């Protein structure tokens, strides 16, 4: 496949706040062949997209999700994290079947594609069904079977993870990859984490784990092990020589920031989930300043309550400006980097995703600039981060294939997914 995008504004996210006006980009198969300004190259193309009054940028990378939790959207709101989990979420999740997980994931994929996400990093269960949804949809995903070391499924989670990695790693043309997903240090005792680390090394797999999400977690780990969560995980060797993504990292001190930086741990910042659950405000400006690859995630739709990365960018900038009382903190371009290039780096894919450069994977989105909220256009980047809406995402290309064009998803029947999701939710809660 050769696809030409012509006469289009381009934000490459190539390390500087640069903009190509009236540019072009050429895709060959799954990769970006070239991009530039002026006249596009001549030749035979399978598809030509006229980008007048549109902008092209890398697809968003949602660095922390529980995709199938779309089925729990609006089920339990306005509660503290542990009460929310123990009294509402976990009991309802226990009723989910593999088919439910499939349709919940497909519902999430509809929402993500239509708001510009091209890659998501997911932790949940029944991950065969999640992988099946990713394969069908054309999305790219990094998947992990959630592993709880203190429950009745602790052994099963290890065996499941081994089998999933053997079955799915690199499948769907390389769009699917798997990690290990130990839930958190408060649900995975040291002996269990030791086994997770051994398996990670054996299978050459990365790790996705929740870390220091709440003050209660922080204090409980400190009381139990005499160390803060990040220091505790370092003492166990979890970060040593492994690709680790730590979700949340809300409660950190300077020593812990240094540990994350030293071991090149990626961090998934989830500002809207953290605000809604009153978990706290992660020290993101300080982490970025130290060189940590801080990415953006939505968390699950039951604690957000959507999967819109445009909203997440806007929320992240506003949150940290008011928290530091400094309007210059986390400017628009840095927020866009978090949603794209930093997401790729945090997942160990920084040399192939998150930027529009020759040789990179052709994962990108086209956004309309025609609506009232995008006019005037003094600063296109500011408009995208501070003004744009999900409905402005017009087309999505993943791995060189057009997944959505003119708001129409091409790889599956969107209306079937919506109908099945409604049916599944009614069955789940009885209404």
């Amino acid at each position: 496949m050769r696809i030409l995008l012509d006469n289009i504004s381009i934000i490459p996210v190539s390390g500087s706040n640069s903009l190509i006006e009236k540019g072009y980009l050429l895709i060959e198969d799954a990769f970006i062949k070239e991009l530039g300004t002026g006249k596009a190259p001549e030749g035979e193309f399978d598809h030509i997209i006229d980008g007048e009054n549109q902008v092209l940028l890398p697809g968003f990378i949602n660095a922390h999700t529980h995709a199938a939790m779309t089925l729990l959207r609006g089920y339990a709101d306005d509660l503290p994290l542990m009460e929310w989990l123990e009294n509402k979420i976990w009991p309802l999740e226990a009723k989910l079947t593999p088919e439910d997980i499939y349709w919940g994931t497909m519902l999430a994929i509809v929402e993500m594609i239509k708001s510009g996400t091209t890659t998501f990093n997911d932790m949940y269960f029944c991950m065969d069904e999640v992988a099946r949804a990713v394969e069908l949809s054309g999305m790219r995903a990094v998947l992990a079977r959630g592993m709880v070391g203190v429950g009745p499924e602790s052994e099963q989670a290890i065996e499941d993870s081994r089998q999933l990695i053997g079955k799915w790693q690199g499948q769907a043309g390389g769009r699917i990859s798997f990690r290990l997903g130990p839930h958190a240090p408060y649900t995975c005792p040291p002996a269990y984490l030791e086994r997770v680390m051994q398996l990670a090394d054996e299978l050459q797999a990365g790790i996705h784990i929740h870390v220091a999400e709440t003050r209660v977690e922080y204090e409980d780990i400190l009381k139990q092990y005499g160390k803060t969560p990040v220091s505790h995980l370092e003492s166990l060797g979890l970060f040593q020589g492994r690709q680790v993504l730590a979700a949340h990292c809300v409660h950190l001190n300077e020593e812990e920031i240094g540990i994350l930086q030293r071991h090149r741990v990626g961090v998934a910042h989830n500002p809207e989930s953290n605000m809604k659950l009153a978990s706290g405000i992660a020290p993101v400006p300080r982490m970025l300043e130290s060189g940590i690859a801080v990415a953006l995630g939505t968390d699950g739709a039951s604690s957000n309550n959507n999967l819109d990365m445009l909203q997440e960018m806007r929320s992240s900038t506003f949150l940290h400006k008011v928290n530091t009382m400094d309007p210059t903190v986390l400017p628009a371009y840095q927020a866009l980097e978090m949603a794209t290039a930093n997401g790729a780096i945090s997942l160990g894919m920084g040399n192939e995703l998150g930027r529009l450069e020759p040789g990179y994977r052709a994962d990108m989105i086209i956004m309309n600039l025609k609506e009232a909220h995008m006019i005037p256009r003094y600063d296109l980047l500011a408009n995208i981060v501070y003004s744009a809406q999900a409905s402005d995402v017009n087309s999505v290309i993943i791995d060189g294939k057009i997944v959505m064009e003119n708001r129409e998803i091409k790889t599956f029947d969107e209306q079937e997914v919506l109908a099945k999701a409604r049916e599944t939710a009614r069955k789940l809660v009885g209404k």
Side-chain angles (χ1 to χ4, degrees), residues 390-405:
S391 56
D392 297 321
V393 178
N394 185 55
S395 299
V396 173
I397 298 172
I398 302 173
D399 221 35
K401 296 179 176 62
I402 298 173
V403 173
M404 182 174 78
E405 188 170 23

Side-chain angles (χ1 to χ4, degrees), residues 61 119 140-142 174-177 179 243 341 343-354 360:
I61 296 172
T119 298
R140 189 183 305 280
V142 181
R175 289 185 288 106
I176 295 175
S177 56
R179 291 188 164 202
Q243 178 66 47
I345 294 167
S346 74
L347 293 171
M349 299 176 173
N351 62 348
E352 56 181 332
L353 295 178
Y360 273 57

Side-chain angles (χ1 to χ4, degrees), residues 69-111:
M69 291 184 85
T70 51
L71 295 176
L72 283 63
R73 188 195 328 260
Y75 172 71
D77 290 324
D78 307 323
L79 295 170
L81 175 64
M82 295 316 296
E83 182 182 348
W84 174 79
L85 278 173
E86 292 174 359
N87 297 338
K88 292 288 188 176
I89 299 303
W90 287 342
L92 193 61
E93 283 182 328
K95 299 180 181 180
L96 292 172
T97 67
E99 185 180 10
D100 296 340
I101 299 293
Y102 175 80
W103 290 115
T105 302
M106 287 299 294
L107 179 63
I109 285 172
V110 169
E111 186 178 354

Side-chain angles (χ1 to χ4, degrees), residues 259-281:
I259 291 170
L260 295 174
Q261 187 275 331
R262 193 161 57 248
H263 292 287
R264 298 183 178 179
V265 176
V267 171
H269 177 42
N270 305 271
E272 292 191 352
S273 174
N274 294 159
M275 285 191 284
K276 186 180 180 223
L277 294 171
S279 299
I281 302 173

Side-chain angles (χ1 to χ4, degrees), residues 277-299:
L277 294 171
S279 299
I281 302 173
V284 167
R286 183 69 193 92
M287 284 193 276
L288 289 168
E289 183 183 297
S290 74
I292 294 171
V294 182
L296 280 177
T298 60
D299 211 347

